[in-house]
PDB file of all heavy atoms in Angstrom:
ATOM      1  N   ALA A  51     150.175  53.276  96.463  1.00 94.00           N
ATOM      2  CA  ALA A  51     151.596  52.937  96.357  1.00 94.00           C
ATOM      3  C   ALA A  51     152.218  52.616  97.695  1.00 94.00           C
ATOM      4  O   ALA A  51     153.052  51.650  97.764  1.00 94.00           O
ATOM      5  CB  ALA A  51     152.348  54.112  95.674  1.00 94.00           C
ATOM      6  N   ILE A  52     151.914  53.375  98.719  1.00 96.00           N
ATOM      7  CA  ILE A  52     152.614  53.156 100.052  1.00 96.00           C
ATOM      8  C   ILE A  52     152.153  51.832 100.682  1.00 96.00           C
ATOM      9  O   ILE A  52     152.801  51.400 101.608  1.00 96.00           O
ATOM     10  CB  ILE A  52     152.404  54.351 100.996  1.00 96.00           C
ATOM     11  CG1 ILE A  52     150.962  54.539 101.306  1.00 96.00           C
ATOM     12  CG2 ILE A  52     153.046  55.578 100.438  1.00 96.00           C
ATOM     13  CD1 ILE A  52     150.739  55.596 102.411  1.00 96.00           C
ATOM     14  N   GLN A  53     151.147  51.225 100.164  1.00 96.00           N
ATOM     15  CA  GLN A  53     150.673  49.932 100.725  1.00 96.00           C
ATOM     16  C   GLN A  53     151.429  48.747 100.074  1.00 96.00           C
ATOM     17  O   GLN A  53     151.101  47.607 100.450  1.00 96.00           O
ATOM     18  CB  GLN A  53     149.164  49.792 100.498  1.00 96.00           C
ATOM     19  CG  GLN A  53     148.351  50.817 101.220  1.00 96.00           C
ATOM     20  CD  GLN A  53     146.885  50.712 100.936  1.00 96.00           C
ATOM     21  OE1 GLN A  53     146.408  49.744 100.333  1.00 96.00           O
ATOM     22  NE2 GLN A  53     146.135  51.726 101.306  1.00 96.00           N
ATOM     23  N   HIS A  54     152.254  48.975  99.156  1.00 94.00           N
ATOM     24  CA  HIS A  54     152.958  47.907  98.403  1.00 94.00           C
ATOM     25  C   HIS A  54     154.459  47.968  98.608  1.00 94.00           C
ATOM     26  O   HIS A  54     155.034  48.960  99.012  1.00 94.00           O
ATOM     27  CB  HIS A  54     152.583  48.009  96.914  1.00 94.00           C
ATOM     28  CG  HIS A  54     151.109  47.651  96.648  1.00 94.00           C
ATOM     29  ND1 HIS A  54     150.708  46.382  96.503  1.00 94.00           N
ATOM     30  CD2 HIS A  54     150.075  48.498  96.623  1.00 94.00           C
ATOM     31  CE1 HIS A  54     149.363  46.408  96.333  1.00 94.00           C
ATOM     32  NE2 HIS A  54     148.961  47.659  96.407  1.00 94.00           N
ATOM     33  N   ASP A  55     155.056  46.812  98.327  1.00 96.00           N
ATOM     34  CA  ASP A  55     156.562  46.711  98.473  1.00 96.00           C
ATOM     35  C   ASP A  55     157.280  47.541  97.475  1.00 96.00           C
ATOM     36  O   ASP A  55     158.453  47.902  97.754  1.00 96.00           O
ATOM     37  CB  ASP A  55     156.978  45.250  98.248  1.00 96.00           C
ATOM     38  CG  ASP A  55     156.466  44.325  99.360  1.00 96.00           C
ATOM     39  OD1 ASP A  55     156.183  44.831 100.497  1.00 96.00           O
ATOM     40  OD2 ASP A  55     156.308  43.147  99.140  1.00 96.00           O
ATOM     41  N   ASP A  56     156.709  47.877  96.352  1.00 95.00           N
ATOM     42  CA  ASP A  56     157.359  48.667  95.308  1.00 95.00           C
ATOM     43  C   ASP A  56     156.554  49.965  95.030  1.00 95.00           C
ATOM     44  O   ASP A  56     155.907  50.083  93.991  1.00 95.00           O
ATOM     45  CB  ASP A  56     157.566  47.876  94.058  1.00 95.00           C
ATOM     46  CG  ASP A  56     158.390  48.576  92.982  1.00 95.00           C
ATOM     47  OD1 ASP A  56     158.898  49.665  93.280  1.00 95.00           O
ATOM     48  OD2 ASP A  56     158.463  48.048  91.865  1.00 95.00           O
ATOM     49  N   PRO A  57     156.569  50.924  95.936  1.00 93.00           N
ATOM     50  CA  PRO A  57     155.740  52.123  95.744  1.00 93.00           C
ATOM     51  C   PRO A  57     156.137  52.905  94.511  1.00 93.00           C
ATOM     52  O   PRO A  57     155.255  53.500  93.879  1.00 93.00           O
ATOM     53  CB  PRO A  57     155.948  52.939  97.052  1.00 93.00           C
ATOM     54  CG  PRO A  57     157.163  52.411  97.640  1.00 93.00           C
ATOM     55  CD  PRO A  57     157.322  50.969  97.198  1.00 93.00           C
ATOM     56  N   VAL A  58     157.408  52.912  94.169  1.00 91.00           N
ATOM     57  CA  VAL A  58     157.840  53.646  92.972  1.00 91.00           C
ATOM     58  C   VAL A  58     157.261  52.984  91.724  1.00 91.00           C
ATOM     59  O   VAL A  58     156.810  53.652  90.809  1.00 91.00           O
ATOM     60  CB  VAL A  58     159.365  53.799  92.902  1.00 91.00           C
ATOM     61  CG1 VAL A  58     159.830  54.377  91.626  1.00 91.00           C
ATOM     62  CG2 VAL A  58     159.896  54.586  94.129  1.00 91.00           C
ATOM     63  N   GLY A  59     157.356  51.660  91.687  1.00 93.00           N
ATOM     64  CA  GLY A  59     156.819  50.934  90.523  1.00 93.00           C
ATOM     65  C   GLY A  59     155.287  51.134  90.406  1.00 93.00           C
ATOM     66  O   GLY A  59     154.817  51.347  89.281  1.00 93.00           O
ATOM     67  N   ILE A  60     154.575  51.088  91.504  1.00 94.00           N
ATOM     68  CA  ILE A  60     153.113  51.289  91.454  1.00 94.00           C
ATOM     69  C   ILE A  60     152.792  52.708  91.020  1.00 94.00           C
ATOM     70  O   ILE A  60     151.951  52.905  90.070  1.00 94.00           O
ATOM     71  CB  ILE A  60     152.500  51.057  92.835  1.00 94.00           C
ATOM     72  CG1 ILE A  60     152.650  49.584  93.275  1.00 94.00           C
ATOM     73  CG2 ILE A  60     151.030  51.450  92.891  1.00 94.00           C
ATOM     74  CD1 ILE A  60     151.876  48.583  92.499  1.00 94.00           C
ATOM     75  N   SER A  61     153.499  53.658  91.507  1.00 93.00           N
ATOM     76  CA  SER A  61     153.260  55.062  91.131  1.00 93.00           C
ATOM     77  C   SER A  61     153.564  55.303  89.665  1.00 93.00           C
ATOM     78  O   SER A  61     152.838  55.960  88.953  1.00 93.00           O
ATOM     79  CB  SER A  61     154.123  56.052  91.952  1.00 93.00           C
ATOM     80  OG  SER A  61     153.729  55.957  93.304  1.00 93.00           O
ATOM     81  N   THR A  62     154.665  54.740  89.217  1.00 93.00           N
ATOM     82  CA  THR A  62     155.112  54.886  87.854  1.00 93.00           C
ATOM     83  C   THR A  62     154.116  54.286  86.920  1.00 93.00           C
ATOM     84  O   THR A  62     153.657  54.959  85.932  1.00 93.00           O
ATOM     85  CB  THR A  62     156.477  54.229  87.637  1.00 93.00           C
ATOM     86  OG1 THR A  62     157.443  54.891  88.474  1.00 93.00           O
ATOM     87  CG2 THR A  62     156.935  54.317  86.169  1.00 93.00           C
TER      88      THR A  62
END
Side-chain angles (χ1 to χ4, degrees):
I52 62 173
Q53 296 175 12
H54 291 275
D55 292 335
D56 186 6
V58 173
I60 296 291
S61 298
T62 298

